[in-house]
Amino acid sequence: MTDLIEAPFGYTDGDVDTNRSTAVTLNELADQRYSRRTLLRGSSAIVAATVGGSLLAACDDKNFGSDTAPTVSAGSAVTTTAGKMVTLTGTATDDKQIASVAWTQIAGPQVTLATPATNAASFLAPAVAAPTEFRFRFAAVDSRGQTSSADATVTVAPAALDFTAVAKNKLDVVTVPTGYTVTVINRTGDPIAANVPAYKNDGTDTNFAQRIGDHGDALYWYGLSTDGAARDANSSARGLLVQNHENINQQYLHVGGATSTGGVRPEAEAQKEIDCHGVSITEASEGAGRAWSVKQDSTYNRRITPATVMAFNGPARGSALLRTAYSPTGVAGRGTINNCANGTTPWGTAITCEENWAGYFRRSGDTANRTAKELTALSRYGVTSGTGSYGWSTVVASDSANTLFRRWDARAGTGTATDDFRNEPNQFGWIVEIDPYAPSSTPRKRTALGRLGHEGCWPGAFVVGKKPAWYMGDDSRREYIYKFVSATAWVAADANAADRLAMGDKYLDAGTLYVAKFAADGTGSWLPLVFGQNGIDGNNATYAFADHADVLVNARLAADVVGATPMDRPEWTAVNPVTGEIYVTLTNNSESGRPLNGTDAANPRHYNDPKGAAQSAQYGNPNGHVIRMKEADTEATSFTWDIYAFGAGADLDKTNINLSSLDDSNDFSSPDGMAFARATHAGGQVKPMMWLQTDDSAYTDVTNCMMLAAQPGSVGDGGARSITNTGSNGATATQATRVGAAPGANLRRFLVGPIECEITGVDSTPDGRTLFVGIQHPGENGSPAAPSSHWPDSQAGGTVAATVRPRSAVVVITKNDGGVVGL
């Protein structure tokens, strides 16, 4: 060892360090930086980890002593609305290399940041009831461990419709606002089982029991876990799409259209037509680039057709009125038909509604074998046709034991009800519950909810300790609005029950069916349809009810007895997830169905909407309206009401016809499909968004059918009003009514469909970023040789062969920036 020699001037030319500087050593500097708590305070774990690594690297940097902290910016303050995607853009510069950057949230309700370790992070603005400030910090660390940060402020206002209204048009495409993308899935005939060939769409295709049916209608999304093994109600990337198939474009299903020989339909044609009805369940998922696809060979995929075995549950199970040659005990049935609107349950089952089923049946010339009571019931439901809509009962089956065609012959023979199918019409018109997660399960017809031309069965709020309710329309002119209240109070844990159909047994097999009566003062009553009450008994002169099963099978007759209010064709029902208010579309009514002197406060208009160049008269209520009701809770037997919106062309008289002051951005006719946004995203919270769809013939001289987005107010936001109606002979009559506040910019056209279609069925994924919409029967008035639409082939643009046949399908709509659709 060399001794240290103290030189007079503090220096010696020895082999020891004689530098007397007060600067720290490299090791000491590294120790200090590791303990620099101020660097870590307010920063993310990503920054901390990066800093730790950079300190060690710094020891080898030859230019260590010249480092300065990065210069950073977090961008300008942002103002936006709930449901929109927000991108935070930071910048960082330094005289050395930037080692890492990170965004962290430092104030406001918690959100999930995407790509927080990059200059551009993003998040979906959440629902807020008032403008709310969110603050975020952008931090950068250079290669020496120096750090700097800057803050960004984002102010989020409540959700609002934010798109330019789509213009009315008669194009052969689905038109949506700028900034949105449309793709097509689940077209009529698409295969949904392994090894089923692609659809040729030339009339030669078969096996619709394993293909998507025709006339797609109401639909609903049921989420699946990431691995597809189980239900995940919150999944937005993988799930099951349950869709109804209401009817058929018969002409396009066969090579040259439907045929018959001597009034007898070919078995193969009839089988194809029958199988096109019912329900489809398909597994869909989101892939790269937000592209959606359907898994053809999914084990969940299922077609429920008019031949699928069904079970009857509830008070009418086993009733003599349900007994047939197929089901002598009245406890079983086959299939579901004319499935239009829908409903759902919190335990994860689908509800499908059997609507205009009466016309499928052959029924004439059997009055001698029918009682007067039977004839009254058959007439009330419209089971009066000759051979039925499609003549399926005329088929001579190749297998004499096959009664799937004979069942459509509802004529009574000389024997008993179990010798023929005189009671087969009584097996339809029900609410059907399906478990989409259990492909082998048997659907159940819930007779406690009554037999109608069911259109819609939407639930009200599920409140622990309160009995839940479902709201229903009966789709025919001058029919009624109903609700069913369960006998069982809601238990929250039942939403996650493993046996989902058992939950249906618990809540849907016992309860009270009610029908609505509207008063002129804006109040109303729910009248119970219960055997032995209010004249619903064996002494009734029009129809002598035998028991409660008889009441449910003939619910229309029971509603007549109690004096319910006949409505202008009640269709879909929807419930505002925040206010609990019930909305019902009243699609339209004719001059005879709503005559000049036959209006009332809830159905107040009689007017003319001239159509086309010839100005053809359309008297009655050809454009329809949307009524809404407010209850104290789902168990209430009274309500208040008003009319949310009156369908009308923008050019019609705003004093007496266009009572909602609609303009070119939001005028519509014949409201039909309707649904509120899910409460799981910003569109369904605070002031929920509602989708309104049309099924129109009155306004098709101006535009194809459409879908509008709305943010309705509440019952009572308008007021009383008196209007003057004018009949075809020039006579006038005044009518008082209750008009909601004019919707204005809170109602606007979001979509216009292709030629001769109906827009029907709408739902979103739970995050609201993907919307599914049904496009039904495009080109319905064309022929195989001359189709009047070529959609969905026409959606891609370019030239389409003149012989390409149209098909019903589902469109998938996404917002290009990734935000909630409509906001």
Side-chain angles (χ1 to χ4, degrees):
M1 176 177 181
T2 304
D3 292 333
L4 177 62
I5 300 173
E6 293 280 341
F9 302 103
Y11 174 81
T12 180
D13 191 17
D15 59 352
V16 293
D17 187 359
T18 59
N19 185 352
R20 298 306 185 213
S21 169
T22 59
V24 296
T25 66
L26 287 178
N27 288 338
E28 289 171 330
L29 179 61
D31 288 341
Q32 289 176 16
R33 292 191 179 184
Y34 267 119
S35 63
R36 189 182 299 164
R37 295 175 182 173
T38 56
L39 176 64
L40 302 181
R41 190 175 297 122
S43 299
S44 70
I46 295 173
V47 173
T50 306
V51 170
S54 66
L55 289 176
L56 295 176
C59 294
D60 296 325
D61 193 324
K62 295 179 180 179
N63 298 312
F64 178 81
S66 62
D67 190 37
T68 59
T71 300
V72 299
S73 169
S76 303
V78 173
T79 299
T80 189
T81 53
K84 288 184 173 293
M85 289 299 300
V86 179
T87 299
L88 303 168
T89 303
T91 59
T93 58
D94 191 66
D95 58 348
K96 304 300 176 190
Q97 183 179 2
I98 297 295
S100 67
V101 296
W103 284 96
T104 54
Q105 183 176 356
I106 57 175
Q110 192 65 39
V111 299
T112 300
L113 288 173
T115 64
T118 67
N119 285 48
S122 61
F123 67 95
L124 189 63
V128 294
T132 302
E133 187 176 281
F134 296 73
R135 286 197 296 126
F136 302 88
R137 178 158 295 159
F138 179 67
V141 181
D142 67 13
S143 58
R144 292 296 198 121
Q146 295 278 18
T147 185
S148 294
S149 65
D151 294 349
T153 300
V154 177
T155 301
V156 178
L161 302 182
D162 189 16
F163 59 88
T164 300
V166 172
K168 292 169 283 192
N169 68 73
K170 300 185 74 175
L171 302 175
D172 199 25
V173 296
V174 172
T175 312
V176 295
T178 300
Y180 288 86
T181 295
V182 174
T183 55
V184 182
I185 61 171
N186 282 2
R187 301 163 296 181
T188 295
D190 279 355
I192 61 168
N195 303 318
V196 177
Y199 193 60
K200 295 188 290 294
N201 196 25
D202 60 4
T204 64
D205 299 281
T206 59
N207 188 19
F208 267 91
Q210 293 184 310
R211 296 182 184 276
I212 294 292
D214 204 1
H215 280 216
D217 209 292
L219 52 81
Y220 200 75
W221 169 266
Y222 292 87
L224 282 172
S225 58
T226 303
D227 60 5
R231 174 192 178 203
D232 178 357
N234 295 315
S235 172
S236 293
R238 184 175 186 176
L240 304 176
L241 201 60
V242 179
Q243 185 181 32
N244 292 337
H245 298 290
E246 180 185 10
N247 210 320
I248 58 174
N249 274 2
Q250 187 187 38
Q251 71 273 38
Y252 297 130
L253 293 177
H254 311 297
V255 174
T259 65
S260 65
T261 302
V264 176
R265 291 294 313 284
E267 182 175 3
E269 286 187 9
Q271 188 66 63
K272 185 187 299 190
E273 293 168 11
I274 292 169
D275 287 343
C276 276
H277 289 74
V279 177
S280 66
I281 300 171
T282 51
E283 181 182 340
S285 60
E286 182 182 24
R290 303 211 64 204
W292 282 83
S293 62
V294 173
K295 183 173 169 53
Q296 179 178 336
D297 61 351
S298 171
T299 57
Y300 291 105
N301 290 355
R302 184 182 187 185
R303 278 302 318 284
I304 296 169
T305 74
T308 303
V309 174
M310 301 269 165
F312 280 93
N313 274 49
R317 175 181 170 85
S319 167
L321 297 173
L322 297 180
R323 294 173 189 168
T324 68
Y326 171 77
S327 180
T329 59
V331 300
R334 286 176 293 183
T336 184
I337 200 164
N338 209 265
N339 302 83
C340 199
N342 64 342
T344 191
T345 71
W347 51 89
T349 57
I351 287 174
T352 183
C353 305
E354 298 177 335
E355 189 199 13
N356 291 318
W357 43 268
Y360 292 92
F361 291 97
R362 180 180 189 178
R363 224 237 87 215
S364 61
D366 68 342
T367 54
N369 299 324
R370 295 282 196 177
T371 66
K373 182 178 174 179
E374 285 179 297
L375 292 173
T376 297
L378 289 164
S379 176
R380 184 65 181 84
Y381 281 86
V383 186
T384 56
S385 68
T387 59
S389 301
Y390 300 114
W392 297 335
S393 67
T394 68
V395 172
V396 178
S398 55
D399 178 359
S400 60
N402 180 4
T403 61
L404 285 171
F405 303 107
R406 180 185 162 210
R407 68 187 292 203
W408 304 107
D409 187 344
R411 293 175 297 179
T414 57
T416 67
T418 57
D419 295 323
D420 54 36
F421 290 93
R422 70 185 70 181
N423 283 338
E424 190 73 7
N426 293 342
Q427 292 222 340
F428 293 93
W430 301 104
I431 291 301
V432 185
E433 186 182 14
I434 300 165
D435 185 349
Y437 298 101
S440 61
S441 60
T442 300
R444 299 181 189 178
K445 296 200 174 187
R446 301 296 185 183
T447 65
L449 282 75
R451 175 173 161 269
L452 316 167
H454 270 294
E455 181 83 61
C457 185
W458 207 259
F462 287 85
V463 178
V464 172
K466 287 285 185 181
K467 298 172 183 177
W470 282 259
Y471 301 86
M472 303 171 283
D474 186 354
D475 183 13
S476 195
R477 288 165 180 162
R478 298 192 63 79
E479 290 300 341
Y480 308 122
I481 296 171
Y482 298 79
K483 88 165 175 177
F484 169 78
V485 179
S486 177
T488 305
W490 176 240
V491 177
D494 288 344
N496 299 311
D499 189 341
R500 286 173 283 273
L501 289 174
M503 291 299 98
D505 297 345
K506 178 177 179 178
Y507 291 102
L508 295 173
D509 281 347
T512 303
L513 181 65
Y514 295 89
V515 67
K517 184 172 184 176
F518 294 82
D521 64 356
T523 63
S525 303
W526 290 113
L527 308 175
L529 301 181
V530 178
F531 180 71
Q533 297 182 19
N534 302 319
I536 306 174
D537 54 35
N539 297 318
N540 186 272
T542 302
Y543 185 88
F545 295 92
D547 52 26
H548 192 57
D550 197 359
V551 173
L552 296 172
V553 170
N554 293 289
R556 282 181 174 177
L557 285 161
D560 292 345
V561 171
V562 299
T565 303
M567 308 298 287
D568 285 351
R569 200 175 155 203
E571 295 216 34
W572 288 48
T573 56
V575 176
N576 185 312
V578 171
T579 68
E581 293 179 355
I582 305 106
Y583 287 66
V584 184
T585 51
L586 303 173
T587 298
N588 52 46
N589 212 333
S590 63
E591 183 176 11
S592 60
R594 190 59 65 188
L596 177 64
N597 294 312
T599 61
D600 58 49
N603 305 272
R605 294 185 301 170
H606 176 100
Y607 58 97
N608 181 30
D609 180 12
K611 183 176 180 180
Q615 293 291 278
S616 301
Q618 300 180 105
Y619 280 92
N621 180 17
N623 302 131
H625 56 285
V626 181
I627 201 164
R628 60 187 174 185
M629 297 168 277
K630 182 177 183 178
E631 305 172 312
D633 55 46
T634 52
E635 297 179 2
T637 57
S638 63
F639 56 86
T640 57
W641 66 271
D642 68 8
I643 295 175
Y644 161 63
F646 290 85
D651 60 327
L652 295 178
D653 172 23
K654 289 183 172 58
T655 301
N656 298 301
I657 302 173
N658 183 8
L659 304 179
S660 298
S661 297
L662 304 181
D663 58 31
D664 282 331
S665 71
N666 60 13
D667 58 342
F668 67 91
S669 176
S670 298
D672 187 346
M674 177 177 55
F676 276 91
R678 289 177 175 240
T680 49
H681 63 80
Q685 301 168 17
V686 184
K687 188 176 182 180
M689 179 169 54
M690 184 181 81
W691 299 105
L692 184 63
Q693 303 172 314
T694 68
D695 177 15
D696 186 39
S697 61
Y699 204 37
T700 49
D701 56 325
V702 175
T703 182
N704 296 339
C705 285
M706 64 184 70
M707 183 171 78
L708 304 97
Q711 284 185 302
S714 294
V715 171
D717 60 10
R721 191 160 167 183
S722 181
I723 63 173
T724 300
N725 291 315
T726 302
S728 57
N729 62 358
T732 61
T734 58
Q735 175 64 60
T737 187
R738 315 289 296 189
V739 179
N746 284 326
L747 173 69
R748 66 185 75 169
R749 190 176 303 105
F750 179 82
L751 174 154
V752 176
I755 294 170
E756 295 172 3
C757 81
E758 171 188 347
I759 308 299
T760 181
V762 58
D763 191 27
S764 77
T765 49
D767 61 11
R769 298 171 64 243
T770 301
L771 192 72
F772 304 98
V773 179
I775 309 297
Q776 187 186 108
H777 63 64
E780 65 175 339
N781 297 322
S783 67
S788 49
S789 167
H790 304 299
W791 194 85
D793 293 62
S794 57
Q795 188 70 33
T799 302
V800 180
T803 55
V804 170
R805 303 180 183 200
R807 301 156 72 181
S808 297
V810 174
V811 292
V812 182
I813 302 173
T814 53
K815 196 174 182 182
N816 296 347
D817 67 5
V820 172
V821 176
L823 300 182

